Amino acid sequence: MNPISSPLLADLYQFTMLQSYLEQGMHDTAVFELFMRKLPPERNFMVAAGLEQVADFLEQMRFTAEELAWLAERFPTPVIDYLEHFSFSGDVHAMPEGTLFFQNEPILRVTAPLPQAQLVESRIINLLHFQSLIASKAARSVLAAPGKLLVDFGMRRAHGAEAALLAARASYLAGFSGSATVLAGALYDVPLYGTMAHSFIQAHADEATAFEHFARSHPDNAILLIDTYDTEAAASKVVRLAHKLATEPIHIKGVRLDSGDLAMHAFEVRQILDRGGLQQAQIFASGNLDEYRLSDMLASGAPIDGFGIGTALDISIDVPAFDCVYKLQEYAGVPRRKRSEGKATWPGRKQVYRRFDEHGGMLADIVALEENDPQPGQPLLQPVMRQGVRIQASPDLQAMRQQTLQNYTVLPAGLRGLKKSAAYPVTISNALQALASELDTRIV
Amino acid sequence: MNPISSPLLADLYQFTMLQSYLEQGMHDTAVFELFMRKLPPERNFMVAAGLEQVADFLEQMRFTAEELAWLAERFPTPVIDYLEHFSFSGDVHAMPEGTLFFQNEPILRVTAPLPQAQLVESRIINLLHFQSLIASKAARSVLAAPGKLLVDFGMRRAHGAEAALLAARASYLAGFSGSATVLAGALYDVPLYGTMAHSFIQAHADEATAFEHFARSHPDNAILLIDTYDTEAAASKVVRLAHKLATEPIHIKGVRLDSGDLAMHAFEVRQILDRGGLQQAQIFASGNLDEYRLSDMLASGAPIDGFGIGTALDISIDVPAFDCVYKLQEYAGVPRRKRSEGKATWPGRKQVYRRFDEHGGMLADIVALEENDPQPGQPLLQPVMRQGVRIQASPDLQAMRQQTLQNYTVLPAGLRGLKKSAAYPVTISNALQALASELDTRIV
């Protein structure tokens, strides 16, 4: 059973409900929408990501003989007969990856026969929640450190392999320069960056020899890690090594700092390198970094050219989850509404319209009914799949990254900062509010 | 390329270092240990988990033709030649899964030729960090709610598919009753639990009909979700339904609450069910739960029989990462030590000894050198793999779960609570301290 594409990537209740739907003949069209109930207090906006993996999952969703045999021990024959011939035949509308979104705005809509639309719930949330979470976190570093090299270093503390891979993809989409995770380079063409570990230094009898060995292996692009024993002493060794190698075609690209007061070390090391004639050598910093530390270091004028960001990025450490749900909004042509305390939803199939000022800046969004509720502005949900098949090939990741960077430039200025800004206006159309009120009096 | 077993699940620097090691002929034996630098302030102990997946990864680690072709565009031929014939041939020692551990204690040791031991770094950390993180979080709910049914509901907000699967496994290992994640049941034999979603209720014209349809499909084990519109009104509908179905072989197993003040609703609903003759019907609660809310609800005497815990569990929300590292401790027979500011390590290959009092209670741990540094107590690191092959089959997950539950009973009482307790004593042997001091004067 494939651990990332198996249709058993679902909660058990999706199968118990499926059984009831089949027994009751409930095959009418259901409309589910995925949205965020509340913007996390630590975020001014979110970045939609993960649609590509959702479309892959839905297009390829089939039950293998092994999976059917396992299910057959737990569910009656009609359920197995249905799943044997299962393929997803619904429509999907979504915001393109990289779109900035806010609370109450559907970022994806599934329109499919009820048993199908219900069965795909958990994996769709799982994929869109995580990548949107990481892209939204990454965007903050991108905006805090304009023009700097930003690399995802988070594989080791990411929550499993898929998290590491998708974090590399989502952070690149959001504007990072690349990742250290090799498989993300191979699978998604994310640019790869890497230096050396402390163990490389420690495995050598002395640090200077370790530097020389590494530089000889990587004559064009060696980044030497200089904090294993004494950072400034190591910087001086780098200068001596550069002079020793000056007659060979070997150029030391830069150094990496990974501990202590990184800004202070950067100032010291920059002086040592400059005095030694290594003005071109770059300084790269890592070690428990996040967008706040980047912002502080750059504000202090620290001469750092690039940053490796690991744990804080790959688990979105200040907001490791957000309130992202997938809710039934319409069944058999009738709008539906959940009214649970504190968890009520806006019913019906919806569209989000974004209005811009005359300079292209974002003004306000309105969430409206898709039909008979026209609004000014750009509709953000676009058709992605029709009858289970992608309508067109997805844009490549580089192109989506460029669009995402463009999207930041039209955000209201306050929302681009790290501090909590006045909320971006998202309103609910009059027709949608009227529908919700009407349903509240109708459903019992 | 397999997204969970590919050897490209590595940081780029592991390959750039590999190249240098090969060019320098550095094939001597390296000893790396994985340990946690500091116990998170929100935890009194940690639970080791994930060893099974590490052993699988190491045993099966091979480069496919596709992976070699991809690497050949980026690395010189001798690297590719080496990787073409790569298999892991090292030894592994580790604490068995379910062992309770503390700061500075190695939970896994790899002894292998340097290029091999370095290449496996990131995936080993990735696997052990995540499962230990989740098992340690799950243990707190297990200790806070003794005798209650505890179910992992977290797939949708877990960080990707592998995180969902391994969270189900790790929480079961730590004493949970099971998970809602179907594929975790199929892959790891974790017991599965599930009820129904709000969408099931909403898809029906009225709630009472939805309840009846579900009960007819699941005559022995229907758990009805009663908070979609009005919780107490729904509880009365459940009573009426039970009476209506009384002459058929259909028994309603219980109800689930998912919003509002769960304890208050539980008291009300219990009364309604009891008055209606449904004393046997269970009350199950979910919705943004964690060990603190479980503890509070149970302290208030709320009549709740089981809990579904999602986001807080699967991302270990208060501690979504801990400071877990994999460090070179010996190379070519010589102990090694990293001295970076705030990140110094204890050198040499080590063993952890745990002493118990006469009643079997844990007293103290000592971290010592493996050789010529004998200590009283039980050695916690055990041989797992020899020359790349498992020494024996792993115990099954149920057996490991029983042992884990047993391990909690010998913890000092204060450490079993949710509040921060006085730290469990972990000391460093005199010989190990002396070795560290000696290396500090030696390495430059």
Side-chain angles (χ1 to χ4, degrees):
Chain A
M1 302 184 199
N2 186 306
I4 70 161
S5 66
S6 167
L8 300 188
L9 282 167
D11 284 298
L12 184 63
Y13 74 11
Q14 293 165 237
F15 286 92
T16 56
M17 288 188 282
L18 178 82
Q19 180 185 339
S20 287
Y21 293 146
L22 298 181
E23 290 173 3
Q24 301 297 333
M26 292 174 72
H27 290 276
D28 284 335
T29 298
V31 178
F32 281 80
E33 289 176 347
L34 186 138
F35 59 96
M36 168 178 68
R37 286 200 187 101
K38 281 176 65 176
L39 188 66
E42 301 85 354
R43 297 287 179 272
N44 286 321
F45 64 90
M46 301 292 285
V47 180
L51 180 59
E52 178 77 6
Q53 282 68 40
V54 167
D56 284 345
F57 179 73
L58 293 176
E59 274 194 343
Q60 297 160 17
M61 192 175 173
R62 299 287 185 281
F63 287 82
T64 64
E66 185 188 12
E67 286 157 350
L68 291 167
W70 187 88
L71 288 163
E73 294 176 25
R74 290 154 182 89
F75 290 92
T77 306
V79 173
I80 308 307
D81 290 346
Y82 172 85
L83 295 177
E84 191 172 356
H85 305 288
F86 184 92
S87 69
F88 178 77
S89 68
D91 294 350
V92 174
H93 294 71
M95 292 187 189
E97 294 194 76
T99 302
L100 312 185
F101 71 96
F102 303 89
Q103 70 285 350
N104 287 323
E105 299 183 345
I107 63 172
L108 175 131
R109 184 204 304 150
V110 170
T111 307
L114 179 58
Q116 293 188 27
Q118 185 82 72
L119 196 57
V120 299
E121 170 179 3
S122 295
R123 182 57 165 155
I124 287 182
I125 301 175
N126 175 267
L127 284 165
L128 285 184
H129 169 266
F130 179 63
Q131 284 203 61
S132 299
L133 183 78
I134 301 305
S136 304
K137 177 70 170 172
R140 295 167 61 81
S141 286
V142 171
L143 290 169
K148 299 294 179 181
L149 187 79
L150 295 177
V151 180
D152 158 38
F153 269 18
M155 178 191 156
R156 61 194 57 203
R157 305 252 177 80
H159 289 183
E162 191 179 52
L165 297 171
L166 297 182
R169 180 182 185 275
S171 56
Y172 182 63
L173 172 78
F176 263 53
S177 311
S179 173
T181 305
V182 179
L183 191 56
L187 292 179
Y188 306 127
D189 227 2
V190 170
L192 294 180
Y193 295 86
T195 60
M196 56 162 59
H198 297 100
S199 48
F200 187 87
I201 307 291
Q202 294 172 271
H204 287 80
D206 67 275
E207 197 177 28
T209 306
F211 288 165
E212 181 169 347
H213 283 174
F214 198 78
R216 289 193 181 281
S217 292
H218 306 282
D220 298 323
N221 56 5
I223 306 264
L224 304 172
L225 178 60
I226 60 174
D227 77 321
T228 307
Y229 307 119
D230 178 302
T231 298
E232 284 73 28
S236 297
K237 292 177 197 173
V238 171
V239 169
R240 286 197 290 278
L241 176 64
H243 292 173
K244 176 177 173 183
L245 301 178
T247 59
E248 305 181 54
I250 297 176
H251 301 283
I252 293 168
K253 186 167 177 193
V255 298
R256 175 160 72 100
L257 312 171
D258 188 53
S259 55
D261 181 331
L262 296 170
M264 186 203 73
H265 285 305
F267 281 113
E268 299 273 347
V269 167
R270 185 73 267 162
Q271 276 207 330
I272 294 167
L273 297 176
D274 288 353
R275 281 194 211 128
L278 300 189
Q279 290 85 353
Q280 302 305 313
Q282 297 177 343
I283 298 180
F284 199 74
S286 58
N288 289 320
L289 295 184
D290 63 14
E291 65 271 26
Y292 295 101
R293 293 194 63 200
L294 261 59
S295 174
D296 289 347
M297 285 192 280
L298 293 172
S300 79
I304 302 177
D305 302 288
F307 299 93
I309 308 183
T311 308
L313 173 69
D314 276 42
I315 60 178
S316 181
I317 198 140
D318 56 338
V319 181
F322 66 96
D323 198 3
C324 162
V325 294
Y326 176 87
K327 292 295 170 190
L328 180 68
Q329 311 293 25
E330 182 188 308
Y331 176 61
V334 181
R336 311 280 164 162
R337 185 178 202 203
K338 174 182 172 186
R339 289 204 308 266
S340 313
E341 297 165 55
K343 295 182 176 179
T345 61
W346 293 106
R349 64 177 86 184
K350 297 181 281 295
Q351 179 57 277
V352 182
Y353 297 88
R354 178 159 294 167
R355 284 189 298 122
F356 299 87
D357 64 22
E358 65 275 27
H359 307 294
M362 287 166 58
L363 273 181
D365 291 359
I366 188 161
V367 182
L369 291 168
E370 195 198 29
E371 291 184 351
N372 303 319
D373 188 14
Q375 300 291 338
Q378 179 190 338
L380 299 182
L381 289 163
Q382 300 175 10
V384 175
M385 296 177 73
R386 190 170 296 136
Q387 297 188 349
V389 179
R390 272 184 180 85
I391 288 169
Q392 54 190 14
S394 324
D396 77 16
L397 189 57
Q398 278 77 4
M400 290 194 284
R401 178 175 179 272
Q402 285 308 315
Q403 181 59 53
T404 308
L405 291 170
Q406 177 61 32
N407 293 343
Y408 301 149
T409 66
V410 299
L411 266 173
L415 273 64
R416 289 200 289 266
L418 298 184
K419 285 196 198 141
K420 186 70 184 170
S421 163
Y424 178 77
V426 177
T427 54
I428 307 296
S429 80
N430 292 335
L432 180 48
Q433 296 197 37
L435 175 65
S437 301
E438 186 211 326
L439 291 181
D440 285 354
T441 61
R442 183 145 46 104
I443 304 174
V444 289
Chain B
M1 304 187 199
N2 186 307
I4 69 161
S5 66
S6 168
L8 300 188
L9 281 167
D11 284 298
L12 184 64
Y13 74 11
Q14 293 165 236
F15 286 91
T16 57
M17 290 189 281
L18 178 82
Q19 180 185 338
S20 287
Y21 293 146
L22 298 181
E23 289 174 4
Q24 302 297 333
M26 293 175 71
H27 290 276
D28 285 335
T29 298
V31 178
F32 281 81
E33 289 175 348
L34 186 139
F35 59 97
M36 168 178 68
R37 286 201 187 101
K38 281 176 64 175
L39 189 66
E42 301 85 353
R43 297 286 179 271
N44 287 320
F45 63 90
M46 301 293 285
V47 180
L51 180 60
E52 178 78 5
Q53 282 68 40
V54 167
D56 285 345
F57 179 73
L58 294 176
E59 274 195 342
Q60 297 161 18
M61 193 175 171
R62 301 287 184 283
F63 287 83
T64 64
E66 185 188 12
E67 286 158 350
L68 291 168
W70 187 87
L71 288 164
E73 294 176 27
R74 291 153 182 89
F75 290 92
T77 306
V79 173
I80 308 306
D81 290 346
Y82 172 85
L83 295 177
E84 191 172 356
H85 305 288
F86 184 93
S87 68
F88 178 76
S89 67
D91 295 350
V92 174
H93 294 72
M95 292 187 189
E97 294 194 77
T99 302
L100 311 186
F101 71 97
F102 303 89
Q103 70 285 352
N104 287 324
E105 298 183 346
I107 64 172
L108 175 130
R109 185 203 304 150
V110 170
T111 307
L114 179 59
Q116 292 188 28
Q118 185 82 72
L119 196 56
V120 300
E121 169 179 3
S122 296
R123 182 57 166 156
I124 287 182
I125 301 176
N126 176 269
L127 284 166
L128 285 183
H129 169 266
F130 179 63
Q131 283 203 62
S132 298
L133 183 77
I134 301 304
S136 304
K137 178 68 170 174
R140 295 167 62 81
S141 286
V142 171
L143 290 169
K148 299 293 180 182
L149 186 79
L150 295 178
V151 180
D152 158 38
F153 269 18
M155 178 191 155
R156 62 194 58 201
R157 305 252 176 81
H159 289 183
E162 191 180 52
L165 296 171
L166 297 182
R169 180 183 185 276
S171 56
Y172 183 62
L173 172 79
F176 263 54
S177 311
S179 173
T181 305
V182 179
L183 191 57
L187 292 178
Y188 306 126
D189 228 2
V190 170
L192 295 181
Y193 294 87
T195 60
M196 58 162 59
H198 296 100
S199 48
F200 187 87
I201 306 291
Q202 294 171 271
H204 287 81
D206 67 276
E207 196 177 29
T209 306
F211 289 165
E212 181 169 347
H213 283 174
F214 197 78
R216 289 192 181 281
S217 292
H218 306 282
D220 298 322
N221 55 5
I223 305 262
L224 304 172
L225 177 61
I226 60 173
D227 77 320
T228 307
Y229 307 119
D230 178 302
T231 298
E232 283 73 28
S236 297
K237 293 177 195 171
V238 171
V239 169
R240 286 196 291 276
L241 176 64
H243 292 172
K244 177 177 173 183
L245 301 177
T247 58
E248 305 181 54
I250 297 177
H251 301 283
I252 292 167
K253 186 169 177 191
V255 298
R256 176 160 73 99
L257 312 171
D258 188 53
S259 54
D261 181 332
L262 296 170
M264 185 202 75
H265 284 305
F267 282 114
E268 299 272 347
V269 166
R270 185 75 268 162
Q271 276 208 329
I272 294 166
L273 296 176
D274 288 353
R275 280 194 212 130
L278 300 189
Q279 289 86 354
Q280 302 304 313
Q282 297 177 344
I283 298 179
F284 198 74
S286 59
N288 290 320
L289 296 184
D290 63 14
E291 65 270 27
Y292 295 101
R293 292 195 63 200
L294 261 58
S295 175
D296 289 347
M297 285 192 280
L298 293 171
S300 78
I304 301 177
D305 302 288
F307 299 93
I309 309 183
T311 307
L313 173 69
D314 276 41
I315 60 179
S316 181
I317 198 139
D318 55 339
V319 181
F322 67 96
D323 199 2
C324 163
V325 294
Y326 176 86
K327 292 294 169 191
L328 180 69
Q329 311 292 26
E330 182 187 307
Y331 176 61
V334 182
R336 311 280 164 162
R337 186 180 201 203
K338 174 183 174 187
R339 290 204 307 266
S340 313
E341 298 165 54
K343 294 182 176 179
T345 61
W346 294 106
R349 65 177 87 185
K350 297 180 281 293
Q351 179 57 277
V352 182
Y353 298 89
R354 178 159 293 167
R355 285 189 298 123
F356 299 88
D357 64 23
E358 67 274 27
H359 307 294
M362 286 165 60
L363 274 181
D365 291 359
I366 189 161
V367 182
L369 290 168
E370 195 198 28
E371 292 183 352
N372 302 321
D373 187 15
Q375 301 291 338
Q378 178 190 338
L380 299 183
L381 289 163
Q382 300 175 10
V384 175
M385 296 177 73
R386 190 170 296 137
Q387 297 188 351
V389 179
R390 272 185 180 84
I391 288 169
Q392 53 190 13
S394 324
D396 77 16
L397 188 58
Q398 277 77 5
M400 291 195 283
R401 178 175 179 273
Q402 286 306 315
Q403 181 59 53
T404 307
L405 291 169
Q406 177 61 32
N407 293 344
Y408 301 148
T409 67
V410 299
L411 266 174
L415 273 65
R416 290 201 288 267
L418 298 185
K419 284 194 198 141
K420 186 70 183 170
S421 163
Y424 178 76
V426 177
T427 55
I428 307 296
S429 79
N430 292 337
L432 179 49
Q433 295 195 37
L435 175 65
S437 300
E438 186 210 328
L439 290 182
D440 285 354
T441 62
R442 183 145 45 104
I443 304 174
V444 288

